[in-house]
Amino acid sequence: MRIYGASAHGLGGARARPGVRRRGVATSVESPRVAPARRALSVAVPVLLACAALPGGLSAQEPEAQIPGVALTLLYENLYIPPFAILPFRTTGETPETGALVHGIVARDLDYSDRFRIVDSLPALWDDQQGVQYGFWDQYGVDWLLTGTVERVAGARFLSVELHDIVTASQRARGRFPLPAPDDPGFRMAVHRVSDEIVLWATGDSGIAATQIAFHMPALGDPGSKEIYIVDSDGANRRRVTWDADLAISPEWSPDGSRLAYTSYKSGVPRIYELELATGTERMIGPDGSGQQHSPAYHPHGGEMVFTLTERQQRVVSYNIRDGCCLRLLAGGHAQNLQPAYSRDGRRLAFVSGRLGSATPQVYTMPSEGGTPELLSPYRYGQGGWFADPDWSPVSNQVVFAGGIVNRRTLGRYHIFIAALDTGDNRLIQLTQEGNNEDPSWAPDGRHIVFVGERSDGSGVYVVDAATGRTRRVVANVKASDTDWSPRLASGGGTRQSPRPGL
Amino acid sequence: MCNPRFVLGAFAASLLIAGCGGGPPETVPPAPIEPPPGRTPQEIADSIARAQFVRDSIRAAQEAEERAQAQAAAAARMTLQQTVYFDYDESTITAATEAALRAKVEVLRGNPGVRLRMEGHADERGTSEYNIALGNERAESVIQFLTNFGLGGDRFTSVSYGEERPAMQGSNEEAWALNRRVEFVITAGGDSIVGS
């Protein structure tokens, strides 16, 4: 990842402790309570990012890649990333192996939150028998310290964690969480939820470890068919959830995370189905009729969905899935219109339209009841370029999409971009630099984005942190498509064990 | 190849003598035991042999015609099912595709009961959802071409598979070229296709 302009301290390891960090918020909380000021601060991060353009950022692109009037930037906000140390978890009535397993999951979750710099090696001499030695840890240069204990009491397991604020020399928060057995299918998710709580204590925003990513790919053992798979946000626990033996594509999480809507070709005509993850039952939720149905997206309040309906032409329509009625045309006409995505309040839609010419599809927004589309992607006449796959941030007015800003006939590369709607300019943030990248989807924190990348070392599912540019591959060596990030999963979260054999 | 009608006319009298008018029997009738007066057994045997020859000739001719019809129908079916290909990111009809589609027009005119499903495909480049749109445009572009020749649009349906069903795996120009296509599936009238 190339970072322009500001030095990337906090990423590198140079200790920097700005006086503004976390002052006035040092009160220890037993049950976390988020002060409004802190919440506002953390939500502001993406906005800061969008304001971070400098002229130097323009030189990041090939000359032919520039679009007049559009500032394209890779510049990242000068984020301070506090060092975070995690002591090995103690165990009571539980094996050290289980303690190490839980510790490993928590450490990776906190690392993947991209909010902290996890200290890999602890100092040789530390002693927490007499409580946390704040002065010692302050000398060592960490801002946060986490201690934990995995207990087993009368057959029940618990994970107790304490978060210590070294800067203010105080305990920030602590909690005791029930834990299933390590071989329980809900074990990892339960640990992820503890990690997300720790992130909330430290930053005021919950983490995203207890989430999952859905996508489709060629079925293992049956490469001719495509099936829906889901994987935990850290790349663990990949499993197949459809057995259509045909094409099952474009999964989309329901707002509560309990269901997936997707398109299946199993009836011969592509139609939208809904899969209940806890039970594995599915039903057809699209309207009757002869048209092809693609790209479902739930309204944030549930009950309604938008999708692409193709009868000769591709149109964006809405449909009441609660009552099974009220099919409504939102964008039609001669050009293709496809891939609708709701804004976080459900009032607007982003979608793709070929109304400027079928070879240069662009991303538009319009009222979710239908109305005049407004061009969002940076189209310039004669410049070529195409954009697709829009997804609206769940926390802000930013839309992420994929596309190529150069004429696809000459280069054909496509990348992930963010457009911020509230800034009033044409600023565009490019998040990827290598290979081809598509199907972006926001994490519930409005900061991380999952996408499909096609790189020199293979294809896979990638996650990028829009605030730091940190990118990692969470699923390697699969031809995945249509990635969609779940909301935060409060309970089991689709941990149904496969009732059928095979992968 | 001799004309079966000519064969039929030339040997009609012999048929009557042999006493088996109408269509050619499936099995050879038993020869009469009692020779009629005034004809030698040799004459009778000759007559039977002539009739046998006529029957065989007619059957061979009919089989040849059926074979020719079957071959023409198979050719017509093949013409209908021939996959057509497109340029990168294009749904316009190329010259090669136009020739293939014109051949389909002739077959479809001679077979008004035949219905087709156009299955549009794209290569892997570009986003997967956009490629579904592209596959749809290709299928619709083919339907538009056919209806411009006066064929009823209600005879055609379309489905797009985007990039999800490649004809050839691989990330190279050869695979891409084979994957940018519309395939044709006969959905009705496939049992009674006649050739031209």
Side-chain angles (χ1 to χ4, degrees):
Chain A
M1 175 56 64
R2 293 141 80 188
I3 298 176
Y4 296 89
S7 68
H9 68 210
L11 292 172
R15 178 155 164 87
R17 186 172 288 188
V20 294
R21 189 192 74 87
R22 299 188 285 113
R23 289 301 169 205
V25 291
T27 45
S28 177
V29 283
E30 282 291 332
S31 58
R33 179 178 48 82
V34 180
R38 288 177 57 99
R39 169 76 65 179
L41 187 67
S42 42
V43 170
V45 166
V47 179
L48 288 171
L49 170 66
C51 296
L54 288 179
L58 288 169
S59 64
Q61 293 307 309
E62 308 292 323
E64 68 266 40
Q66 289 186 15
I67 299 173
V70 175
L72 184 68
T73 177
L74 283 167
L75 194 87
Y76 290 102
E77 173 63 8
N78 184 9
L79 286 176
Y80 173 69
I81 302 189
F84 193 119
I86 310 170
L87 295 188
F89 288 177
R90 283 171 296 202
T91 51
T92 307
E94 185 53 274
T95 62
E97 289 75 21
T98 301
L101 174 65
V102 174
H103 178 275
I105 295 172
V106 170
R108 188 162 73 169
D109 288 346
L110 296 177
D111 181 29
Y112 282 7
S113 79
D114 296 309
R115 309 268 192 167
F116 316 106
R117 183 170 60 80
I118 304 302
V119 176
D120 288 331
S121 55
L122 295 173
L125 294 169
W126 55 268
D127 177 14
D128 61 344
Q129 296 304 311
Q130 277 78 48
V132 171
Q133 308 298 304
Y134 290 104
F136 174 82
W137 290 107
D138 189 52
Q139 286 296 309
Y140 192 63
V142 299
D143 286 7
W144 297 106
L145 181 77
L146 184 74
T147 64
T149 306
V150 181
E151 311 166 63
R152 190 172 180 183
V153 186
R157 288 178 181 78
F158 296 93
L159 170 58
S160 297
V161 286
E162 289 183 11
L163 180 65
H164 298 276
D165 185 338
I166 303 302
V167 175
T168 60
S170 61
Q171 185 192 88
R172 178 83 181 93
R174 70 171 184 225
R176 187 164 183 257
F177 304 88
L179 214 57
D183 57 357
D184 186 287
F187 171 75
R188 292 185 68 92
M189 269 293 152
V191 178
H192 290 325
R193 273 187 279 277
V194 178
S195 303
D196 289 347
E197 194 75 6
I198 295 165
V199 174
L200 176 68
W201 292 342
T203 71
D205 280 327
S206 178
I208 49 159
T211 58
Q212 292 171 336
I213 293 158
F215 55 92
H216 81 253
M217 68 175 202
L220 299 177
D222 180 15
S225 70
K226 303 281 173 78
E227 303 285 0
I228 311 288
Y229 285 75
I230 56 180
V231 66
D232 292 353
S233 69
D234 61 353
N237 203 14
R238 184 179 73 198
R239 57 214 178 276
R240 176 175 167 181
V241 295
T242 61
W243 276 262
D244 287 2
D246 206 292
L247 293 182
I249 60 172
S250 334
E252 163 87 8
W253 291 90
S254 66
D256 65 358
S258 70
R259 289 158 289 145
L260 285 176
Y262 68 102
T263 290
S264 176
Y265 283 63
K266 64 183 170 185
S267 74
V269 178
R271 290 182 166 281
I272 295 171
Y273 297 78
E274 185 180 65
L275 175 68
E276 183 90 39
L277 285 164
T279 62
T281 56
E282 64 170 34
R283 64 186 183 111
M284 199 148 64
I285 56 170
D288 293 334
S290 60
Q292 305 175 54
Q293 304 168 3
H294 286 105
S295 305
Y298 288 93
H299 189 283
H301 305 140
E304 195 157 333
M305 80 179 169
V306 284
F307 61 96
T308 311
L309 180 64
T310 306
E311 286 167 304
R312 296 285 184 251
Q313 291 292 327
Q314 298 204 292
R315 301 185 173 99
V316 171
V317 297
S318 66
Y319 188 65
N320 184 327
I321 54 173
R322 187 181 293 132
D323 303 327
C325 77
C326 316
L327 183 67
R328 190 149 84 175
L329 174 67
L330 301 179
H334 185 64
Q336 55 178 346
N337 296 276
L338 60 149
Q339 277 196 290
Y342 278 106
S343 66
R344 59 186 161 143
D345 61 3
R347 288 182 166 175
R348 291 190 70 80
L349 286 174
F351 68 106
V352 175
S353 178
R355 58 192 62 211
L356 290 175
S358 61
T360 57
Q362 301 290 324
V363 176
Y364 295 78
T365 65
M366 70 174 172
S368 58
E369 307 296 304
T372 308
E374 293 171 30
L375 182 64
L376 175 69
S377 52
Y379 178 78
R380 289 295 178 277
Y381 182 77
Q383 286 274 330
W386 59 279
F387 298 91
D389 294 345
D391 189 45
W392 212 302
S393 164
V395 305
S396 72
N397 250 340
Q398 295 184 97
V399 178
V400 67
F401 48 87
I405 55 169
V406 293
N407 189 321
R408 61 189 308 197
R409 281 176 189 76
T410 55
L411 270 177
R413 291 281 172 201
Y414 32 102
H415 289 292
I416 307 295
F417 298 89
I418 295 174
L421 279 73
D422 293 337
T423 55
D425 58 21
N426 288 328
R427 195 151 295 135
L428 204 60
I429 300 157
Q430 181 175 342
L431 291 175
T432 57
Q433 285 295 292
E434 196 203 330
N436 288 324
N437 307 275
E438 61 181 288
D439 301 326
S441 170
W442 290 97
D445 62 357
R447 172 171 164 152
H448 290 85
I449 290 160
V450 65
F451 61 94
V452 173
E454 200 184 284
R455 302 284 164 88
S456 51
D457 57 348
S459 303
V461 176
Y462 290 78
V463 167
V464 59
D465 173 27
T468 62
R470 232 181 127 199
T471 305
R472 58 183 165 271
R473 189 166 61 182
V474 293
V475 185
N477 302 321
V478 295
K479 285 282 247 183
S481 288
D482 294 343
T483 37
D484 191 54
W485 206 316
S486 80
R488 291 189 176 91
L489 301 170
S491 59
T495 50
R496 176 177 69 98
Q497 286 298 81
S498 163
R500 277 163 279 201
L503 286 170
Chain B
M1 179 71 62
C2 60
N3 187 325
R5 288 196 185 83
F6 171 76
V7 174
L8 189 70
F11 291 93
S14 310
L15 264 175
L16 289 171
I17 292 166
C20 54
E26 287 301 313
T27 56
V28 178
I33 308 295
E34 284 289 314
R39 301 185 68 181
T40 67
Q42 182 60 48
E43 285 172 337
I44 291 167
D46 287 348
S47 171
I48 291 169
R50 281 195 297 273
Q52 184 81 50
F53 177 76
V54 169
R55 273 198 302 273
D56 289 350
S57 300
I58 291 171
R59 185 181 300 143
Q62 284 183 334
E63 282 174 358
E65 183 178 6
E66 282 166 11
R67 209 159 39 236
Q69 283 174 351
Q71 281 170 354
R77 176 183 295 273
M78 199 172 287
T79 299
L80 283 182
Q81 292 177 328
Q82 189 191 350
T83 301
V84 298
Y85 299 92
F86 294 81
D87 289 339
Y88 173 54
D89 197 27
E90 288 288 349
S91 56
T92 49
I93 307 291
T94 64
T97 293
E98 179 171 344
L101 292 180
R102 281 177 178 273
K104 291 181 204 290
V105 169
E106 292 311 309
V107 177
L108 288 165
R109 280 180 174 157
N111 294 275
V114 167
R115 290 167 183 265
L116 293 177
R117 181 171 74 238
M118 283 54 171
E119 299 186 341
H121 298 264
D123 70 31
E124 65 181 4
R125 292 173 293 172
T127 65
S128 46
E129 297 279 354
Y130 175 70
N131 280 329
I132 286 174
L134 188 56
N136 181 63
E137 286 192 350
R138 285 171 177 160
E140 291 301 329
S141 158
V142 165
I143 291 175
Q144 187 66 51
F145 184 93
L146 298 178
T147 53
N148 283 349
F149 281 84
L151 299 167
D154 56 350
R155 299 173 65 183
F156 311 119
T157 58
S158 69
V159 63
S160 174
Y161 289 101
E163 65 183 72
E164 310 298 342
R165 282 265 169 84
M168 181 181 181
Q169 298 284 349
S171 298
N172 50 64
E173 189 48 57
E174 185 195 1
W176 292 333
L178 285 173
N179 292 336
R180 298 188 296 263
R181 69 200 193 277
V182 168
E183 295 184 6
F184 299 82
V185 176
I186 299 167
T187 55
D191 297 335
S192 54
I193 290 179
V194 296
S196 51

